[in-house]
Amino acid sequence: MPETTMKAVGLTRYLPIDHPDSLLDVKIEKPVPTGRDLLVRVQAVSVNPVDVKVRGPKERTESKPRVLGWDVAGVVEQTGPDCTLFKPGDEVYYAGSITRPGGNSEFHLVDERIVGSKPTSLDFAQAAALPLTSITAWEGLFHRLGISPDQGANPGKTILIIGAAGGVGSIAVQLAKYAGLTVIGTASRPESAAWAKGLGADQIINHYEDFVPQLKALGLANVDYIFCLNSTEKHWKNMADAIEPQGKICSIVETDERLNLTMLKDKSVTFVWELMFTRPMFETADMIEQHKLLNELAVLVDRGLIRTTVAEKLTPINADNLRKAHAMLETGRSVGKVVLEQFE
């Protein structure tokens, strides 16, 4: 008789990460795919700031364990009746949807339109580090800022990436260099600066200091694009000062403070948000763009043009290791991605 339950890591209360009940090993019902859903046997997952944010302390309880995790690499176990893109046995990677259960479970349901074929040159742990950050970076650079994604297509154009050594920054630096931009990254510690430079950043400035004097010291008056991956409100004036007239700014970081958009008016600057969950959350007509970009990214990875950003691996996937991974992210000093692999 087939197994009807599966191992997972979930929560019922929203607690500080040092509380032993903040994440729990649980048994939950194994899902069945319908429509365009794939049932994926999870081989590896990685942790992102969204996991920490969702899990963070709040006055609420869940009647059933809530499963987090929005980075998965695994093998298609079963397909829904309407699937056309994948078949059982295919190796895949994806981020999933914030409105559905996450992937910290032995099996996981995901709409095939937001799933890509895993890079063949990577193992599952290396692949699991990529989807959420890569979708965010790709959409931010190429869909929101409107930069051409073609190799070397943007000579003479400059981009400032705020938070270049983080998860999204680590991919954004590589994609921007591939597209031919001059990349200035921000970092404040020697190890994070070295990481960003190692991924291809041409120059590094400190995000705790005024941007314009540092850019001028590099021979730049302004930059054509800014990709903000950290503290939108803290960097707002610096971004307004540093952006080129008619330039474009994209941020992935929400703010509780009001942003003075008038600061961008005289320069006719475009400001746009990027949230990689928008397409799956609203099931937009172009939802399949995430399938396409993950497949394009896999080609770049397999050609050796983009590299995975794993910084640390933990085995197996369980509550204890996921608590460790969340704690690492909460320091705000992590470089690259923390990945977990294999259920016991």
Side-chain angles (χ1 to χ4, degrees), residues 278-308:
T278 296
R279 282 172 163 135
M281 186 188 306
F282 295 100
E283 295 191 5
T284 59
D286 66 348
M287 187 169 160
I288 201 167
E289 287 299 316
Q290 293 195 350
H291 165 73
K292 293 176 181 177
L293 74 84
L294 285 171
N295 282 349
E296 288 184 55
L297 180 78
V299 171
L300 296 181
V301 170
D302 288 338
R303 289 173 58 196
L305 297 169
I306 301 293
R307 72 177 196 249
T308 186

Side-chain angles (χ1 to χ4, degrees), residues 204-238:
I204 299 293
I205 66 173
N206 191 320
H207 41 240
Y208 291 121
E209 299 174 13
D210 289 345
F211 292 174
V212 170
Q214 295 182 83
L215 291 173
K216 284 184 176 177
L218 299 175
L220 297 170
N222 297 111
V223 290
D224 298 296
Y225 304 99
I226 297 177
F227 197 11
C228 180
L229 312 176
N230 178 270
S231 300
T232 305
E233 70 280 358
K234 290 181 183 176
H235 300 302
W236 188 249
K237 184 179 185 304
N238 263 326

Side-chain angles (χ1 to χ4, degrees), residues 31-46:
V32 176
T34 59
R36 296 196 71 172
D37 276 351
L38 307 173
L39 180 67
V40 175
R41 182 184 290 272
V42 175
Q43 301 291 331
V45 299
S46 73

Side-chain angles (χ1 to χ4, degrees), residues 269-282:
V269 168
T270 298
F271 176 72
V272 63
W273 293 108
E274 158 59 17
L275 177 65
M276 59 75 52
F277 288 126
T278 296
R279 282 172 163 135
M281 186 188 306
F282 295 100

Side-chain angles (χ1 to χ4, degrees), residues 12 36 44 57 68 70-71 91 93 112 136 148 153 182 186 189 193 199 209 214 247 264 268 272 285 290 305 322 339:
T12 54
R36 296 196 71 172
L68 311 179
W70 292 282
D71 258 336
E91 296 183 351
Y93 74 142
E112 67 170 356
T136 304
S148 171
T182 296
T186 78
R189 295 175 293 129
L199 292 170
E209 299 174 13
Q214 295 182 83
L264 307 182
S268 297
V272 63
Q290 293 195 350
L305 297 169
L322 274 165
V339 175

Side-chain angles (χ1 to χ4, degrees), residues 78-236:
Q78 189 179 348
T79 62
D82 300 327
C83 289
T84 60
L85 303 175
F86 297 97
K87 64 184 184 305
D90 287 345
E91 296 183 351
V92 295
Y93 74 142
Y94 59 89
S97 172
I98 193 71
T99 58
R100 303 184 68 177
N104 294 338
S105 55
E106 282 187 283
F107 295 91
H108 186 235
L109 284 184
V110 62
D111 191 301
E112 67 170 356
R113 289 170 291 179
I114 57 173
V115 175
S117 296
K118 181 184 79 66
T120 58
S121 59
L122 301 184
D123 62 27
F124 288 105
Q126 293 168 326
L130 288 172
L132 187 144
T133 54
S134 297
I135 294 170
T136 304
W138 191 291
E139 289 185 346
L141 293 171
F142 305 140
H143 299 172
R144 311 302 176 213
L145 289 173
I147 297 167
S148 171
D150 296 337
Q151 186 171 15
N154 303 276
K157 293 293 185 179
T158 52
I159 187 168
L160 175 64
I161 299 175
I162 300 172
V168 176
S170 296
I171 300 296
V173 166
Q174 296 184 74
L175 289 176
K177 281 302 296 179
Y178 173 79
L181 291 104
T182 296
V183 178
I184 300 94
T186 78
S188 60
R189 295 175 293 129
E191 57 267 39
S192 54
W195 173 270
K197 289 284 286 254
L199 292 170
D202 295 288
Q203 302 287 349
I204 299 293
I205 66 173
N206 191 320
H207 41 240
Y208 291 121
E209 299 174 13
D210 289 345
F211 292 174
V212 170
Q214 295 182 83
L215 291 173
K216 284 184 176 177
L218 299 175
L220 297 170
N222 297 111
V223 290
D224 298 296
Y225 304 99
I226 297 177
F227 197 11
C228 180
L229 312 176
N230 178 270
S231 300
T232 305
E233 70 280 358
K234 290 181 183 176
H235 300 302
W236 188 249

